[in-house]
Amino acid sequence: MISNPKLGGSVINFALHLSLETPLDGENEGAAHSGYTDVQYDTMALELSHWMRRYRISPEHITPHQHVDLGGERAEPRSFDWSQLAVRLKALGVICAQRR
């Protein structure tokens, strides 16, 4: 599928995206930062569960940007804890495979 022929067939052209605000100590090129807040994980889980139900997205199709960026320009989400998201999605009735 190519949504923009000038950009090629990257999944970025047709995927839903959800971004988190990076903590101030993550504005550098370091490998990690202080992490995301409970509110960010809660909000992400609510939005993802809504999308998963509305668009019939299976849990295995939930993935970080680094797995779909064919150019390898971005390695986030740095310091993202997939287990925090999985716990919340499970509580909402959406099972999500834990990522590394």
Side-chain angles (χ1 to χ4, degrees):
M1 176 177 195
I2 299 175
S3 59
N4 182 338
K6 294 180 181 176
L7 297 177
S10 174
V11 70
I12 299 300
N13 289 331
F14 57 87
L16 294 170
H17 303 271
L18 191 75
S19 297
L20 297 176
E21 184 74 27
T22 301
L24 292 177
D25 64 345
E27 292 181 351
N28 55 36
E29 296 298 323
H33 53 66
S34 58
Y36 299 101
T37 67
D38 287 338
V39 172
Q40 287 176 297
Y41 285 111
D42 293 346
T43 304
M44 176 177 260
L46 286 170
E47 189 62 30
L48 283 175
S49 68
H50 171 73
W51 288 355
M52 292 169 78
R53 288 182 176 108
R54 181 175 182 181
Y55 301 113
R56 296 186 180 134
I57 300 169
S58 61
E60 58 270 9
H61 288 113
I62 305 298
T63 187
H65 188 271
Q66 68 190 33
H67 293 164
V68 297
D69 178 17
L70 300 177
E73 296 175 17
R74 304 184 74 170
E76 81 274 358
R78 294 181 297 152
S79 302
F80 187 80
D81 185 346
W82 279 98
S83 66
Q84 291 291 327
L85 178 60
V87 166
R88 287 159 171 84
L89 289 174
K90 185 174 182 181
L92 292 168
V94 181
I95 303 300
C96 183
Q98 186 172 343
R99 310 275 190 202
R100 291 191 241 177

